[in-house]
mmCIF file of all heavy atoms in Angstrom:
data_model
loop_
_atom_site.group_PDB
_atom_site.id
_atom_site.type_symbol
_atom_site.label_atom_id
_atom_site.label_comp_id
_atom_site.label_asym_id
_atom_site.label_seq_id
_atom_site.Cartn_x
_atom_site.Cartn_y
_atom_site.Cartn_z
ATOM 1 N N TYR A 100 136.381 157.166 148.801
ATOM 2 C CA TYR A 100 137.578 157.040 149.631
ATOM 3 C C TYR A 100 138.014 155.593 149.835
ATOM 4 O O TYR A 100 139.095 155.334 150.339
ATOM 5 C CB TYR A 100 137.405 157.751 150.981
ATOM 6 C CG TYR A 100 136.153 157.399 151.763
ATOM 7 C CD1 TYR A 100 136.015 156.169 152.394
ATOM 8 C CD2 TYR A 100 135.120 158.321 151.885
ATOM 9 C CE1 TYR A 100 134.874 155.864 153.111
ATOM 10 C CE2 TYR A 100 133.976 158.021 152.599
ATOM 11 C CZ TYR A 100 133.854 156.790 153.212
ATOM 12 O OH TYR A 100 132.724 156.482 153.931
ATOM 13 N N PHE A 101 137.217 154.621 149.425
ATOM 14 C CA PHE A 101 137.653 153.227 149.474
ATOM 15 C C PHE A 101 138.791 152.980 148.500
ATOM 16 O O PHE A 101 139.615 152.110 148.716
ATOM 17 C CB PHE A 101 136.494 152.281 149.154
ATOM 18 C CG PHE A 101 135.672 151.891 150.342
ATOM 19 C CD1 PHE A 101 135.010 152.850 151.083
ATOM 20 C CD2 PHE A 101 135.545 150.566 150.719
ATOM 21 C CE1 PHE A 101 134.249 152.494 152.181
ATOM 22 C CE2 PHE A 101 134.774 150.204 151.812
ATOM 23 C CZ PHE A 101 134.129 151.172 152.549
ATOM 24 N N GLN A 102 138.810 153.718 147.407
ATOM 25 C CA GLN A 102 139.851 153.619 146.384
ATOM 26 C C GLN A 102 140.082 152.172 145.940
ATOM 27 O O GLN A 102 141.222 151.715 145.813
ATOM 28 C CB GLN A 102 141.155 154.261 146.871
ATOM 29 C CG GLN A 102 141.001 155.736 147.147
ATOM 30 C CD GLN A 102 142.268 156.398 147.598
ATOM 31 O OE1 GLN A 102 143.254 155.753 147.920
ATOM 32 N NE2 GLN A 102 142.251 157.713 147.630
ATOM 33 N N ARG A 103 138.974 151.471 145.737
ATOM 34 C CA ARG A 103 139.037 150.105 145.209
ATOM 35 C C ARG A 103 137.703 149.771 144.567
ATOM 36 O O ARG A 103 136.702 150.439 144.804
ATOM 37 C CB ARG A 103 139.356 149.094 146.306
ATOM 38 C CG ARG A 103 138.276 148.948 147.378
ATOM 39 C CD ARG A 103 138.591 147.779 148.314
ATOM 40 N NE ARG A 103 137.684 147.661 149.427
ATOM 41 C CZ ARG A 103 136.477 147.085 149.394
ATOM 42 N NH1 ARG A 103 136.008 146.584 148.255
ATOM 43 N NH2 ARG A 103 135.721 147.015 150.475
ATOM 44 N N SER A 104 137.711 148.741 143.764
ATOM 45 C CA SER A 104 136.474 148.278 143.158
ATOM 46 C C SER A 104 135.698 147.448 144.162
ATOM 47 O O SER A 104 136.297 146.819 145.047
ATOM 48 C CB SER A 104 136.781 147.429 141.928
ATOM 49 O OG SER A 104 137.433 148.205 140.954
ATOM 50 N N PRO A 105 134.371 147.420 144.041
ATOM 51 C CA PRO A 105 133.588 146.584 144.959
ATOM 52 C C PRO A 105 133.975 145.112 144.844
ATOM 53 O O PRO A 105 134.303 144.626 143.764
ATOM 54 C CB PRO A 105 132.145 146.799 144.491
ATOM 55 C CG PRO A 105 132.165 148.091 143.751
ATOM 56 C CD PRO A 105 133.520 148.183 143.128
ATOM 57 N N GLU A 106 133.949 144.452 145.974
ATOM 58 C CA GLU A 106 134.214 143.016 146.028
ATOM 59 C C GLU A 106 132.895 142.297 146.274
ATOM 60 O O GLU A 106 131.906 142.911 146.666
ATOM 61 C CB GLU A 106 135.213 142.718 147.156
ATOM 62 C CG GLU A 106 136.550 143.403 146.953
ATOM 63 C CD GLU A 106 137.437 143.362 148.195
ATOM 64 O OE1 GLU A 106 137.015 142.814 149.242
ATOM 65 O OE2 GLU A 106 138.556 143.894 148.115
ATOM 66 N N LEU A 107 132.878 141.002 146.054
ATOM 67 C CA LEU A 107 131.658 140.221 146.237
ATOM 68 C C LEU A 107 131.100 140.393 147.648
ATOM 69 O O LEU A 107 129.895 140.534 147.838
ATOM 70 C CB LEU A 107 131.934 138.746 145.938
ATOM 71 C CG LEU A 107 130.710 137.844 145.824
ATOM 72 C CD1 LEU A 107 129.765 138.346 144.739
ATOM 73 C CD2 LEU A 107 131.127 136.419 145.523
ATOM 74 N N SER A 108 131.968 140.431 148.658
ATOM 75 C CA SER A 108 131.512 140.564 150.046
ATOM 76 C C SER A 108 130.807 141.897 150.294
ATOM 77 O O SER A 108 129.955 142.002 151.175
ATOM 78 C CB SER A 108 132.684 140.398 151.020
ATOM 79 O OG SER A 108 133.624 141.452 150.832
ATOM 80 N N ASP A 109 131.139 142.928 149.508
ATOM 81 C CA ASP A 109 130.494 144.234 149.681
ATOM 82 C C ASP A 109 129.002 144.176 149.378
ATOM 83 O O ASP A 109 128.229 144.954 149.929
ATOM 84 C CB ASP A 109 131.143 145.281 148.773
ATOM 85 C CG ASP A 109 132.572 145.599 149.170
ATOM 86 O OD1 ASP A 109 132.821 145.799 150.371
ATOM 87 O OD2 ASP A 109 133.432 145.647 148.270
ATOM 88 N N GLN A 110 128.590 143.272 148.498
ATOM 89 C CA GLN A 110 127.170 143.178 148.159
ATOM 90 C C GLN A 110 126.325 142.867 149.381
ATOM 91 O O GLN A 110 125.180 143.287 149.475
ATOM 92 C CB GLN A 110 126.954 142.113 147.077
ATOM 93 C CG GLN A 110 127.480 142.534 145.737
ATOM 94 C CD GLN A 110 127.195 141.501 144.663
ATOM 95 O OE1 GLN A 110 126.364 140.622 144.849
ATOM 96 N NE2 GLN A 110 127.885 141.614 143.541
ATOM 97 N N GLU A 111 126.883 142.146 150.337
ATOM 98 C CA GLU A 111 126.161 141.845 151.572
ATOM 99 C C GLU A 111 126.547 142.802 152.693
ATOM 100 O O GLU A 111 125.697 143.303 153.408
ATOM 101 C CB GLU A 111 126.450 140.407 152.013
ATOM 102 C CG GLU A 111 125.651 140.012 153.249
ATOM 103 C CD GLU A 111 125.846 138.556 153.620
ATOM 104 O OE1 GLU A 111 126.107 137.750 152.735
ATOM 105 O OE2 GLU A 111 125.740 138.258 154.813
ATOM 106 N N ARG A 112 127.837 143.095 152.825
ATOM 107 C CA ARG A 112 128.312 143.918 153.940
ATOM 108 C C ARG A 112 127.898 145.378 153.823
ATOM 109 O O ARG A 112 127.633 146.030 154.826
ATOM 110 C CB ARG A 112 129.839 143.849 154.033
ATOM 111 C CG ARG A 112 130.373 142.524 154.521
ATOM 112 C CD ARG A 112 131.875 142.562 154.711
ATOM 113 N NE ARG A 112 132.219 143.471 155.788
ATOM 114 C CZ ARG A 112 133.329 144.214 155.797
ATOM 115 N NH1 ARG A 112 134.179 144.175 154.802
ATOM 116 N NH2 ARG A 112 133.582 145.012 156.806
ATOM 117 N N TYR A 113 127.863 145.917 152.599
ATOM 118 C CA TYR A 113 127.566 147.334 152.419
ATOM 119 C C TYR A 113 126.066 147.528 152.186
ATOM 120 O O TYR A 113 125.623 148.056 151.179
ATOM 121 C CB TYR A 113 128.394 147.903 151.263
ATOM 122 C CG TYR A 113 128.428 149.414 151.234
ATOM 123 C CD1 TYR A 113 128.990 150.134 152.291
ATOM 124 C CD2 TYR A 113 127.908 150.124 150.170
ATOM 125 C CE1 TYR A 113 129.016 151.510 152.286
ATOM 126 C CE2 TYR A 113 127.933 151.513 150.145
ATOM 127 C CZ TYR A 113 128.487 152.198 151.209
ATOM 128 O OH TYR A 113 128.511 153.575 151.206
ATOM 129 N N GLN A 114 125.280 147.021 153.139
ATOM 130 C CA GLN A 114 123.827 147.073 153.066
ATOM 131 C C GLN A 114 123.267 146.854 154.468
ATOM 132 O O GLN A 114 123.738 145.971 155.177
ATOM 133 C CB GLN A 114 123.321 145.975 152.137
ATOM 134 C CG GLN A 114 121.832 145.969 151.921
ATOM 135 C CD GLN A 114 121.374 147.197 151.172
ATOM 136 O OE1 GLN A 114 121.002 148.184 151.792
ATOM 137 N NE2 GLN A 114 121.405 147.155 149.858
ATOM 138 N N THR A 115 122.299 147.636 154.868
ATOM 139 C CA THR A 115 121.678 147.405 156.173
ATOM 140 C C THR A 115 120.774 146.179 156.103
ATOM 141 O O THR A 115 120.267 145.837 155.035
ATOM 142 C CB THR A 115 120.849 148.624 156.629
ATOM 143 O OG1 THR A 115 119.791 148.830 155.706
ATOM 144 C CG2 THR A 115 121.721 149.871 156.742
ATOM 145 N N VAL A 116 120.571 145.529 157.245
ATOM 146 C CA VAL A 116 119.725 144.328 157.270
ATOM 147 C C VAL A 116 118.251 144.676 157.102
ATOM 148 O O VAL A 116 117.437 143.805 156.826
ATOM 149 C CB VAL A 116 119.933 143.496 158.563
ATOM 150 C CG1 VAL A 116 121.368 142.975 158.634
ATOM 151 C CG2 VAL A 116 119.570 144.295 159.807
ATOM 152 N N TYR A 117 117.901 145.950 157.250
ATOM 153 C CA TYR A 117 116.500 146.347 157.149
ATOM 154 C C TYR A 117 116.191 147.133 155.872
ATOM 155 O O TYR A 117 115.093 147.648 155.714
ATOM 156 C CB TYR A 117 116.056 147.145 158.380
ATOM 157 C CG TYR A 117 117.039 148.207 158.838
ATOM 158 C CD1 TYR A 117 117.112 149.435 158.206
ATOM 159 C CD2 TYR A 117 117.888 147.966 159.905
ATOM 160 C CE1 TYR A 117 118.011 150.403 158.615
ATOM 161 C CE2 TYR A 117 118.788 148.926 160.336
ATOM 162 C CZ TYR A 117 118.845 150.145 159.685
ATOM 163 O OH TYR A 117 119.730 151.098 160.097
ATOM 164 N N ALA A 118 117.134 147.199 154.935
ATOM 165 C CA ALA A 118 116.891 147.904 153.671
ATOM 166 C C ALA A 118 115.781 147.211 152.891
ATOM 167 O O ALA A 118 115.703 145.983 152.868
ATOM 168 C CB ALA A 118 118.171 147.939 152.847
ATOM 169 N N LYS A 119 114.917 148.013 152.251
ATOM 170 C CA LYS A 119 113.800 147.442 151.493
ATOM 171 C C LYS A 119 113.661 148.028 150.094
ATOM 172 O O LYS A 119 113.296 147.326 149.175
ATOM 173 C CB LYS A 119 112.477 147.670 152.246
ATOM 174 C CG LYS A 119 112.351 146.873 153.504
ATOM 175 C CD LYS A 119 110.998 147.089 154.144
ATOM 176 C CE LYS A 119 110.923 146.261 155.422
ATOM 177 N NZ LYS A 119 109.743 146.559 156.184
ATOM 178 N N ILE A 120 113.910 149.306 149.933
ATOM 179 C CA ILE A 120 113.606 149.981 148.671
ATOM 180 C C ILE A 120 114.909 150.430 148.010
ATOM 181 O O ILE A 120 115.708 151.131 148.615
ATOM 182 C CB ILE A 120 112.686 151.194 148.915
ATOM 183 C CG1 ILE A 120 111.387 150.727 149.570
ATOM 184 C CG2 ILE A 120 112.403 151.943 147.619
ATOM 185 C CD1 ILE A 120 110.521 151.851 150.078
ATOM 186 N N GLU A 121 115.110 150.037 146.752
ATOM 187 C CA GLU A 121 116.306 150.456 146.021
ATOM 188 C C GLU A 121 116.229 151.932 145.686
ATOM 189 O O GLU A 121 115.147 152.473 145.500
ATOM 190 C CB GLU A 121 116.450 149.633 144.741
ATOM 191 C CG GLU A 121 116.830 148.194 145.003
ATOM 192 C CD GLU A 121 117.149 147.448 143.711
ATOM 193 O OE1 GLU A 121 117.384 148.104 142.682
ATOM 194 O OE2 GLU A 121 117.167 146.220 143.764
ATOM 195 N N GLY A 122 117.392 152.581 145.592
ATOM 196 C CA GLY A 122 117.417 153.973 145.180
ATOM 197 C C GLY A 122 118.554 154.769 145.784
ATOM 198 O O GLY A 122 118.899 155.830 145.295
ATOM 199 N N SER A 123 119.165 154.260 146.826
ATOM 200 C CA SER A 123 120.244 154.975 147.503
ATOM 201 C C SER A 123 121.557 154.758 146.759
ATOM 202 O O SER A 123 121.842 153.660 146.289
ATOM 203 C CB SER A 123 120.356 154.453 148.937
ATOM 204 O OG SER A 123 121.182 155.282 149.697
ATOM 205 N N ILE A 124 122.363 155.797 146.664
ATOM 206 C CA ILE A 124 123.665 155.701 146.012
ATOM 207 C C ILE A 124 124.701 155.096 146.972
ATOM 208 O O ILE A 124 125.726 154.583 146.553
ATOM 209 C CB ILE A 124 124.131 157.077 145.490
ATOM 210 C CG1 ILE A 124 125.300 156.951 144.516
ATOM 211 C CG2 ILE A 124 124.539 157.996 146.609
ATOM 212 C CD1 ILE A 124 124.888 156.506 143.153
ATOM 213 N N ALA A 125 124.408 155.140 148.264
ATOM 214 C CA ALA A 125 125.326 154.613 149.278
ATOM 215 C C ALA A 125 124.522 154.105 150.463
ATOM 216 O O ALA A 125 123.370 154.492 150.652
ATOM 217 C CB ALA A 125 126.284 155.716 149.739
ATOM 218 N N ALA A 126 125.126 153.246 151.233
ATOM 219 C CA ALA A 126 124.458 152.724 152.428
ATOM 220 C C ALA A 126 124.459 153.789 153.519
ATOM 221 O O ALA A 126 125.426 154.534 153.654
ATOM 222 C CB ALA A 126 125.169 151.479 152.935
ATOM 223 N N PRO A 127 123.374 153.859 154.306
ATOM 224 C CA PRO A 127 123.406 154.699 155.515
ATOM 225 C C PRO A 127 124.231 153.942 156.559
ATOM 226 O O PRO A 127 123.747 153.054 157.244
ATOM 227 C CB PRO A 127 121.931 154.828 155.896
ATOM 228 C CG PRO A 127 121.280 153.625 155.293
ATOM 229 C CD PRO A 127 122.086 153.215 154.100
ATOM 230 N N THR A 128 125.514 154.268 156.646
ATOM 231 C CA THR A 128 126.496 153.374 157.271
ATOM 232 C C THR A 128 126.328 153.158 158.774
ATOM 233 O O THR A 128 126.779 152.145 159.283
ATOM 234 C CB THR A 128 127.927 153.843 156.971
ATOM 235 O OG1 THR A 128 128.067 155.197 157.397
ATOM 236 C CG2 THR A 128 128.220 153.734 155.482
#
Side-chain angles (χ1 to χ4, degrees):
Y100 51 73
F101 272 60
Q102 298 181 348
R103 66 172 174 82
S104 297
E106 299 168 359
L107 191 58
S108 64
D109 293 314
Q110 289 183 16
E111 184 175 331
R112 289 185 66 214
Y113 195 62
Q114 183 66 267
T115 63
V116 297
Y117 44 80
K119 291 183 180 172
I120 301 170
E121 289 188 17
S123 192
I124 194 77
T128 56

